[in-house]
Amino acid sequence: MKDYIEVDEWKIIENGFNPHYNKISESIFSLGNGRMGQRANFEEAYSGETLQGNYVAGVYYPDKTRVGWWKNGYPEYFAKVINAANWIGIDINIDGEQLDLAKCEVQQFRRELNMQEGYLKRNFTAKTAGGKIVEAEAIRFCSMADDEAGAIKYTITPVNFSGPVTFTPFIDGDVVNKDSNYDEKFWDEIKKESWNDGGFVQMRTKKTGFEVATGMLIAALQNGEPIKLHTQAVSKEKYVGAKFKLDAVQGQSISVIKYAANLSSQNYPAAELVVNLKETLHQIASKGFDTMLKEQADAWAAKWKHNDIIIEGDASAQQAIRFNIFQLNQTYTGEDDRLNIGPKGFTGEKYGGSTYWDTEAYCVPFYLATADQKVTRNLLLYRYKQLDKAIENAKLLGFTNGAALYPMVTMDGAECHNEWEITFEEIHRNGAIAYAIFNYVRYTGDETYLADYGLEVLIAIARFWSQRVNWSEDKQQYVMLGVTGPNEYENNVNNNWYTSMLACWCMKYTIEVAEKVKAADLGKYTELINRINFNGQEETGRFKDIIARMYLPYDEKRQIFLQQDGYLDKEQILVKDLPAGERPINQKWSWDRILRSCYIKQADVLQGIYFFEDQYDIDTIRRNFDFYEPRTVHESSLSPCVHAILAAKLGDEARAYEFYLRTARLDLDDYNNDTEDGCHITSMAGTWMSVVEGFAGMRVKNGKLSFDPFLPGKWTSFSFNVGFRGTLIKVTIAKSAVDIKHLSGPGLKVMVDGHDIDVQPDAGAKITKVVLAPPPIA
Ligand code: BGC
């Protein structure tokens, strides 16, 4: 745990130079705009510890995994969103010495991520080995208004000298991934060009053939006045630079403005990339840096209007929740249904930028409430468009008749993860994809999605489950063998309750949706079932039989759902009794020891109870929570949020808050010692869930938003904006009152603590107050 980040409600601040934390800061201060993103690397050269990272969404490489043995069905590759051209670089040479903070005496240093307006600012004062002191300020952002563009304003002021300073703004495509399996370089140069005030490099990925053209236009100001540039082109492999020398004057600033853009062949024919790149560069440069920065602030203001959470009385919690919301918005904007949310977003290489079940299980609730419904629809369409590949994937494993197994990890729909226990066995992801359809329709009321796309996906998933189970003569029930539940600290288990329960639910929901679509639009229904050869009666007959006769392990003595067969045979030592020095077990123990232990990585049975809370009475929820949580090590960042929500549901406010704290500042405080690899983007949605579904108890019940709130001890109030079916409201939970304020859209009926509230667009805003019930005794 670190605490070098200063608390501020709208900013992330690092004050003082911490080279040993640099990789952590590079993750935390990352920038993105949904289409591209980057770690907070320095613009000038830096020979200290760093992980360079610039990423273009959707551009990936299938990196062959280093494993010497294969089994049939293994995907050969682990796909990666690869490090793309560095467009931030500006080499600075002060009278023969390269400016490099690792080689300077850093007299002052401050990094600031302005979350309100969406930019990164860095100031420092450095003394070179030769004794020259400069002050510098660098401001940069990935533009939300022009999502293929970014800009930098880099200013230096000589403090104790006058003399020549050389600047070389550059684009460098000669980059590598730290995690590349064979130290392979992923890009080939296609072309490049330099001109007096800029240049570009166009590169193509090996194997996948994506082309990306990355270019820059530069301008300079001396003492605030624009100057005419006379540059000298610097050209190396995959690199263009524009070098110019100025006579710096003590106390007078020199600013270099770098306009940059990244255009990808996902959006243009490769042959037209350059012409479009040049046009984009000229467009942004003619707007100018200040206008771009203003547009950035406006774009972020619009986002914050929809999804801010305001916490009074706890600045550190305020900073944390905004950081989580900010990073989620930087990662995914919902503009493009080919893109998705990697667990590390644009902040690092880990998890390869690929799509996991995290999206459906954790991110969907966030985007449903905080963005236009088309954003979540695009996340669903992403999977719809990959249905063929999911069917192909299941076919490779021996499934038939249009059964689909969505991949655990994917870039383009194909499975690209190759640990057998995950790829073949962690099949619950299929259920999360079906659940997201249900969640979307429940939240938005958009039933057209079901007829147009949802039902087709559901049938394919239900077909998979109906083939994945088998009849046990012994039990006279259906069983599901050889699976891995969300708790990845168990592999190849039989009858994981969560997976089997979810499979039944998927089949049940598919039957319901099929009936609904058939009744609503017989034409569409008939077209679909003919196209996919769905034998309604026979297939739903099998689904029903499985639902009725599925084996779901249950422990009568403890009256809990059993995580899987044999779980109780394990030695039951609670996590609290594990010596602190042995945790986290995934770093301290052998994998073998972990697999044989009773320790649970993340919510498993409790994930199922969270999804289908309405189906269980409070005592059932409590018994399962009280049994499983003490055995859970929460070594996945996705774990605490589910526990926070359930603890809140059970009225255990103190524990709900404790779980929330584990997720909220996970990256800011480097809680798990792994922020240097990148931030935990998908679990950030879980932090939002802890506040909105946990503390505010927000649910959708019978087509209405409902709240059952409490106020965490330290806070004086908290409020958040949520959108629901075209209406935007602001919910404020204070010590003795809940205010629901109408912000825009039609009137809305909501429930608070079981009371019906009419939230109407009045003159001004209607405020309804309901006194909170006293907190339940834990
Ligand atoms: C978790 C998975 C998750 C993945 C990516 C793993 O540690 O166990 O549930 O999908 O990380 O976030």
Side-chain angles (χ1 to χ4, degrees):
M1 176 132 169
K2 326 261 177 321
D3 66 353
Y4 73 101
I5 299 293
E6 278 183 16
V7 171
D8 181 286
E9 297 193 345
W10 275 111
K11 291 176 183 160
I12 307 298
I13 300 166
E14 177 186 6
N15 223 336
F17 190 46
N18 302 293
H20 46 296
Y21 291 161
N22 189 43
K23 288 201 279 184
I24 302 172
S25 293
E26 286 177 339
S27 302
I28 293 175
F29 291 79
S30 288
L31 293 173
N33 63 9
R35 181 103 27 220
M36 62 181 184
Q38 57 188 205
R39 289 171 57 80
N41 305 133
F42 298 163
E43 288 84 359
E44 76 281 357
Y46 185 61
S47 57
E49 277 284 294
T50 172
L51 173 64
Q52 295 289 304
N54 285 278
Y55 311 98
V56 179
V59 173
Y60 67 94
Y61 180 82
D63 196 19
K64 194 166 164 65
T65 306
R66 269 190 184 279
V67 173
W69 55 90
W70 293 98
K71 296 194 171 61
N72 280 343
Y74 272 23
E76 285 212 355
Y77 300 101
F78 190 88
K80 302 187 158 139
V81 165
I82 51 180
N83 205 357
N86 164 5
W87 59 261
I88 65 165
I90 304 175
D91 251 335
I92 295 170
N93 194 295
I94 301 168
D95 201 11
E97 271 184 287
Q98 189 177 46
L99 181 63
D100 173 350
L101 293 193
K103 295 182 181 156
C104 291
E105 179 193 318
V106 181
Q107 300 179 334
Q108 175 264 331
F109 181 96
R110 184 182 161 96
R111 238 194 278 232
E112 188 179 296
L113 184 63
N114 184 319
M115 302 184 285
Q116 191 165 21
E117 300 184 2
Y119 65 83
L120 172 64
K121 181 166 156 185
R122 188 165 56 100
N123 296 83
F124 62 84
T125 307
K127 185 175 174 188
T128 65
K132 305 244 162 30
I133 301 177
V134 285
E135 278 174 6
E137 178 182 89
I139 299 179
R140 78 170 193 255
F141 54 91
C142 290
S143 170
M144 280 281 178
D146 302 287
D147 66 3
E148 290 166 319
I152 304 170
K153 184 171 185 182
Y154 193 102
T155 303
I156 67 161
T157 310
V159 174
N160 65 347
F161 70 98
S162 294
V165 178
T166 308
F167 299 85
T168 314
F170 62 85
I171 304 287
D172 184 8
D174 193 13
V175 290
V176 288
N177 264 47
K178 185 181 151 226
D179 68 353
S180 94
N181 279 322
Y182 293 88
D183 297 329
E184 197 180 349
K185 296 212 172 169
F186 297 142
W187 297 94
D188 287 325
E189 179 183 311
I190 300 298
K191 55 176 122 147
K192 62 180 176 228
E193 191 186 318
S194 287
W195 54 88
N196 185 43
D197 62 351
F200 75 86
V201 178
Q202 180 170 342
M203 299 197 300
R204 182 191 292 141
T205 57
K206 296 179 182 173
K207 292 192 187 139
T208 36
F210 291 107
E211 293 199 19
V212 176
T214 306
M216 62 175 180
L217 270 184
I218 50 173
L221 308 169
Q222 191 156 17
N223 215 13
E225 292 300 318
I227 49 172
K228 210 169 157 44
L229 286 174
H230 300 286
T231 70
Q232 178 197 338
V234 185
S235 179
K236 293 185 260 181
E237 201 199 341
K238 302 176 193 166
Y239 175 107
V240 291
K243 186 170 174 177
F244 59 96
K245 194 192 246 182
L246 296 176
D247 288 320
V249 180
Q250 186 173 357
Q252 290 189 6
S253 64
I254 297 175
S255 298
V256 177
I257 299 177
K258 189 171 179 189
Y259 301 98
N262 258 321
L263 267 59
S264 142
S265 60
Q266 295 168 102
N267 305 315
Y268 305 87
E272 291 168 24
L273 279 173
V274 171
V275 50
N276 284 291
L277 174 72
K278 288 182 176 170
E279 202 180 306
T280 306
L281 286 171
H282 282 110
Q283 259 170 24
I284 55 172
S286 65
K287 277 186 192 175
F289 185 85
D290 293 343
T291 305
M292 283 183 80
L293 193 58
K294 164 84 176 56
E295 286 179 355
Q296 179 77 345
D298 293 346
W300 274 100
K303 294 225 175 266
W304 287 115
K305 180 168 178 237
H306 211 125
N307 57 31
D308 194 15
I309 294 186
I310 298 165
I311 298 171
E312 303 284 355
D314 187 345
S316 151
Q318 174 67 80
Q319 178 185 45
I321 192 67
R322 287 206 172 117
F323 178 66
N324 288 275
I325 296 170
F326 180 72
Q327 288 292 0
L328 284 160
N329 280 304
Q330 293 207 108
T331 308
Y332 186 72
T333 58
E335 305 287 325
D336 187 334
D337 65 20
R338 296 165 302 170
L339 303 180
N340 210 283
I341 308 150
K344 299 272 172 197
F346 297 119
T347 69
E349 296 176 5
K350 202 168 170 204
Y351 296 115
S354 308
T355 308
Y356 285 66
W357 73 301
D358 306 29
T359 293
E360 284 77 17
Y362 295 86
C363 300
V364 156
F366 169 79
Y367 290 105
L368 273 175
T370 65
D372 190 283
Q373 77 182 48
K374 82 169 194 310
V375 171
T376 308
R377 196 179 159 97
N378 276 347
L379 286 174
L380 301 191
L381 283 173
Y382 173 91
R383 296 289 194 178
Y384 174 78
K385 292 194 169 166
Q386 297 182 351
L387 179 58
D388 287 350
K389 289 203 170 140
I391 292 175
E392 189 54 37
N393 186 35
K395 218 172 175 178
L396 282 173
L397 305 185
F399 295 86
T400 59
N401 188 32
L405 175 60
Y406 277 94
M408 183 66 186
V409 180
T410 194
M411 286 306 313
D412 67 344
E415 178 63 75
C416 61
H417 186 87
N418 41 25
E419 281 173 274
W420 63 268
E421 60 274 34
I422 306 253
T423 305
F424 301 151
E425 297 204 333
E426 209 175 330
I427 51 181
H428 66 81
R429 72 250 188 177
N430 242 16
I433 289 163
Y435 185 80
I437 296 175
F438 160 78
N439 212 358
Y440 169 80
V441 175
R442 173 174 67 174
Y443 199 94
T444 63
D446 174 17
E447 296 205 340
T448 62
Y449 187 81
L450 296 174
D452 293 341
Y453 310 102
L455 180 58
E456 191 174 342
V457 171
L458 291 171
I459 290 176
I461 287 176
R463 281 173 161 169
F464 170 80
W465 292 123
S466 73
Q467 295 173 39
R468 184 60 169 75
V469 299
N470 65 276
W471 179 250
S472 159
E473 275 304 326
D474 185 44
K475 290 194 164 62
Q476 288 293 298
Q477 279 180 302
Y478 288 97
V479 292
M480 181 125 46
L481 308 180
V483 303
T484 297
N487 169 23
E488 292 176 342
Y489 288 178
E490 300 272 3
N491 300 147
N492 205 39
V493 301
N494 293 337
N495 301 308
N496 169 257
W497 178 83
Y498 172 73
T499 309
S500 299
M501 180 275 297
L502 194 56
C504 289
W505 173 83
C506 286
M507 290 184 275
K508 189 161 158 272
Y509 183 54
T510 304
I511 298 170
E512 254 172 59
V513 171
E515 279 163 8
K516 201 178 250 179
V517 170
K518 189 173 174 185
D521 192 336
L522 189 60
K524 265 195 189 149
Y525 178 78
T526 314
E527 182 281 319
L528 173 66
I529 63 165
N530 288 339
R531 180 159 51 80
I532 63 172
N533 274 327
F534 182 61
N535 182 334
Q537 243 194 346
E538 196 184 305
E539 294 194 53
T540 56
R542 177 160 165 86
F543 298 166
K544 284 179 189 158
D545 187 44
I546 296 169
I547 296 165
R549 298 197 286 164
M550 185 77 182
Y551 168 67
L552 296 168
Y554 187 76
D555 179 58
E556 288 295 344
K557 191 166 131 204
R558 295 167 185 80
Q559 301 212 1
I560 53 164
F561 305 118
L562 200 55
Q563 187 176 272
Q564 79 258 355
D565 284 352
Y567 179 76
L568 290 169
D569 295 335
K570 291 171 172 251
E571 196 180 9
Q572 302 287 328
I573 302 172
L574 302 186
V575 176
K576 71 173 175 39
D577 299 323
L578 262 179
E582 298 198 15
R583 293 181 63 193
I585 58 172
N586 67 12
Q587 285 169 25
K588 303 288 165 74
W589 283 12
S590 73
W591 188 236
D592 164 68
R593 190 171 173 199
I594 291 176
L595 290 178
R596 284 184 288 106
S597 79
C598 72
Y599 300 117
I600 301 170
K601 182 181 182 189
Q602 65 200 93
D604 191 300
V605 166
L606 297 181
Q607 181 76 37
I609 291 183
Y610 160 68
F611 272 174
F612 302 108
E613 171 197 284
D614 287 349
Q615 297 178 17
Y616 308 107
D617 60 48
I618 202 79
D619 292 336
T620 305
I621 300 178
R622 190 183 305 282
R623 278 194 307 276
N624 281 280
F625 187 88
D626 289 349
F627 180 80
Y628 286 111
E629 196 290 319
R631 290 160 172 80
T632 304
V633 284
H634 304 290
E635 288 179 10
S636 160
S637 63
L638 300 175
S639 190
C641 61
V642 173
H643 291 81
I645 296 166
L646 291 179
K649 165 94 190 161
L650 293 170
D652 191 344
E653 301 166 357
R655 298 221 64 203
Y657 187 62
E658 188 190 312
F659 287 121
Y660 158 82
L661 287 180
R662 286 201 201 183
T663 116
R665 295 190 63 93
L666 181 72
D667 291 312
L668 288 180
D669 296 342
D670 194 20
Y671 208 92
N672 285 351
N673 259 328
D674 62 357
T675 303
E676 64 176 43
D677 296 338
C679 295
H680 299 79
I681 300 295
T682 48
S683 89
M684 292 182 176
T687 309
W688 178 92
M689 281 157 63
S690 306
V691 175
V692 175
E693 297 182 9
F695 305 160
M698 186 174 97
R699 304 285 188 273
V700 179
K701 289 188 180 157
N702 303 321
K704 277 194 219 161
L705 274 188
S706 136
F707 300 90
D708 188 4
F710 78 89
L711 188 63
K714 217 177 146 190
W715 302 0
T716 44
S717 76
F718 71 102
S719 52
F720 55 90
N721 297 356
V722 281
F724 187 74
R725 304 192 181 185
T727 302
L728 188 63
I729 56 172
K730 176 172 184 175
V731 180
T732 303
I733 289 133
K735 279 217 162 59
S736 60
V738 178
D739 293 348
I740 314 258
K741 189 173 170 190
H742 178 275
L743 297 179
S744 64
L748 192 68
K749 287 192 179 4
V750 302
M751 306 250 301
V752 178
D753 273 346
H755 304 270
D756 269 318
I757 308 290
D758 210 358
V759 189
Q760 289 299 334
D762 283 343
K766 176 169 169 119
I767 299 183
T768 310
K769 292 202 171 190
V770 176
V771 177
L772 271 177
I777 318 264

